[in-house]
Amino acid sequence: MRFLRWILPLSLALGLVACGPPRKSVFPPTVSIQQLVLQPSGAWRLTVRIQNNSYGGMDFSALDAQLAMADSVPVRVHGNFDRDIPAFAGDIVQIDVLPTTAMAKALAASAAKGSAGALPYTLSGSVRAKPEQEKEPRDFDFSGKDWLSPVPGIAHTWR
């Protein structure tokens, strides 16, 4: 009888706790370069893809990163924007960058090789976002390595 007096209130309390709103897990996003277009001024227009890897939507507002091509000195990639990206979805932002001379030469060398001219890059930094269940935005660190290759038939474009 004593056992039943404790089990009934305990099971009711657990049932009430389970009725609360579920907390959605938040994971760091993935950031990569989707496309690079050489502008007439010599600047590069980067199409940066932000992939939300969380179980809830996030409002992204800024990116501050370093881009290094091949073995060159990195340049700053910075942009402010307003993107509401749903759970497990991605979106793009365009950011203009002024490359170093070494980076421009490396890109020209890859263009001379045609579609076989893959160029390695490293993009690392942080992206500012506010998860949907939080009140304040926070910074998420990221780091990634990949390759860009000239796009056949589309001049001055790498993907």
Side-chain angles (χ1 to χ4, degrees):
M1 198 54 133
R2 291 174 98 187
F3 177 72
L4 288 177
R5 269 191 273 170
W6 287 101
I7 196 77
L8 186 61
L10 182 63
S11 62
L12 285 173
L14 288 175
L16 288 173
V17 168
C19 292
R23 189 98 173 128
K24 295 181 181 177
S25 297
V26 176
F27 296 101
T30 305
V31 180
S32 61
I33 297 175
Q34 185 168 314
Q35 180 171 285
L36 181 152
V37 177
L38 181 61
Q39 301 295 301
S41 65
W44 294 353
R45 174 152 295 152
L46 301 178
T47 301
V48 178
R49 178 173 179 77
I50 302 171
Q51 178 70 38
N52 181 3
N53 297 321
S54 296
Y55 283 90
M58 287 205 271
D59 295 328
F60 290 86
S61 58
L63 177 117
D64 192 17
Q66 297 286 322
L67 170 66
M69 294 280 188
D71 294 325
S72 66
V73 175
V75 296
R76 185 174 184 220
V77 178
H78 178 76
N80 293 314
F81 44 83
D82 185 23
R83 294 287 189 280
D84 182 17
I85 303 177
F88 300 111
D91 202 351
I92 60 169
V93 294
Q94 291 190 333
I95 300 173
D96 289 341
V97 174
L98 291 173
T100 64
T101 305
M103 292 172 78
K105 286 180 182 178
L107 194 68
S110 79
K113 295 178 184 176
S115 60
L119 182 64
Y121 76 87
T122 303
L123 185 66
S124 59
S126 65
V127 65
R128 190 155 190 76
K130 185 181 88 59
E132 70 181 26
Q133 293 182 341
E134 295 181 17
K135 294 181 181 181
E136 296 295 321
R138 58 181 163 137
D139 292 332
F140 293 92
D141 292 334
F142 66 87
S143 182
K145 295 180 179 186
D146 210 339
W147 298 80
L148 290 171
S149 298
V151 178
I154 304 176
H156 310 297
T157 304
W158 287 256
R159 290 188 185 146

